[in-house]
Amino acid sequence: MTKENDLTPSKMVKFLDWSYEKALNGLPKTPSAQELAESYLSKHRTIDDAIDALIKWQNTKAGTSGFLTGLGGAFTLPVAIPANLASVLYVQLRMVAAIAYMRGYDIRDDQVKTLAFVALTGQAAGDILKEFGIKTSTKFLKVAIRKVPGEVIKKINQKVGFKLITKFGSKGVVNLVKLVPVAGGVIGATVDVIGTNTIGKVAKDKLFISPPPPPTSPEPVTIV
């Protein structure tokens, strides 16, 4: 029986939607995903170098206890979720969105947002997309994801919500009976952040890979 404060897949997706919107538009005194991406691109010679540096730094950020609660009372989360879990998911999602932006994806597109959600599942990302007939590690993923209809996008999001609850629940992070809201500065459970590096690598190497180069124009033929 589901209780009022139980964290369900739908509630998890609601939080991810909220978190993604904040990642795109920025939170008080923190850069948005686009600003973060442009900052790293300006400091490195190649996109890959910029992404690798970003992932390395976000591993440190994700390990900061209570990142969101440290911002003060500027907002209230849309669902009851442990504070540290909310912080880690936000940091990871902003990182993934920044990676997508660096690789030329429209991060305000619903399909791209769903790919960012999928990245949060780490190594399970490929299996989730495969279940819905979408292949990863291909230069045509950028084109393929655009063709996924809205109803399928919703199903993928729900699958991600379920996977995340299962993932964190198995680590004892999510107590499905007693969850506390961030509002009021309540500190939640400690979160295992080892997966942040994996999530970054999956986003970089499997989901938001560079699009194929445009076809080259044939050499002009001179008629004598």
Side-chain angles (χ1 to χ4, degrees):
M1 181 178 177
T2 303
K3 297 184 179 181
E4 183 179 355
N5 282 338
D6 283 358
L7 187 56
T8 63
S10 294
K11 288 181 179 179
M12 177 61 81
V13 172
K14 186 176 181 180
F15 169 74
L16 294 180
D17 279 330
W18 176 92
S19 189
Y20 194 80
E21 185 270 329
K22 298 300 181 187
L24 264 54
N25 296 321
L27 285 169
K29 300 180 181 180
T30 65
S32 67
Q34 180 175 336
E35 291 169 339
L36 196 64
E38 290 176 345
S39 172
Y40 276 86
L41 286 172
S42 69
K43 298 174 184 176
H44 296 85
R45 295 181 60 185
T46 69
I47 293 176
D48 279 355
D49 287 345
I51 292 175
D52 288 339
L54 171 65
I55 294 171
K56 183 178 180 180
W57 176 244
Q58 294 308 288
N59 284 331
T60 304
K61 270 289 186 184
T64 303
S65 176
F67 174 78
L68 291 180
T69 54
L71 298 177
F75 57 85
T76 302
L77 295 184
V79 298
I81 185 171
N84 284 8
L85 174 57
S87 294
V88 169
L89 287 173
Y90 172 78
V91 169
Q92 292 174 340
L93 195 53
R94 186 182 61 164
M95 173 187 70
V96 172
I99 292 172
Y101 178 85
M102 289 190 211
R103 282 282 167 80
Y105 287 72
D106 179 2
I107 55 178
R108 295 191 178 276
D109 182 82
D110 284 342
Q111 283 86 352
V112 172
K113 178 173 71 171
T114 289
L115 277 185
F117 290 177
V118 171
L120 296 179
T121 65
Q123 297 293 355
D127 291 336
I128 291 176
L129 292 178
K130 185 178 179 181
E131 183 177 332
F132 292 92
I134 305 171
K135 294 181 180 180
T136 60
S137 298
T138 168
K139 292 183 178 182
F140 301 103
L141 177 60
K142 184 174 182 179
V143 176
I145 194 65
R146 289 176 181 170
K147 299 179 180 179
V148 179
E151 287 303 312
V152 175
I153 287 294
K154 290 179 181 178
K155 291 179 180 179
I156 296 175
N157 290 346
Q158 287 293 313
K159 186 74 174 183
V160 169
F162 176 78
K163 280 284 187 181
L164 290 179
I165 291 174
T166 302
K167 172 184 175 181
F168 289 113
S170 66
K171 295 176 180 291
V173 173
V174 178
N175 184 323
L176 297 181
V177 179
K178 298 179 180 178
L179 292 175
V180 293
V182 168
V186 181
I187 303 301
T190 301
V191 178
D192 179 1
V193 298
I194 296 175
T196 301
N197 186 69
T198 299
I199 289 169
K201 294 300 184 183
V202 166
K204 174 193 173 188
D205 300 331
K206 292 186 177 181
L207 300 181
F208 299 108
I209 54 179
S210 298
T216 56
S217 301
E219 293 292 330
V221 178
T222 302
I223 301 177
V224 179

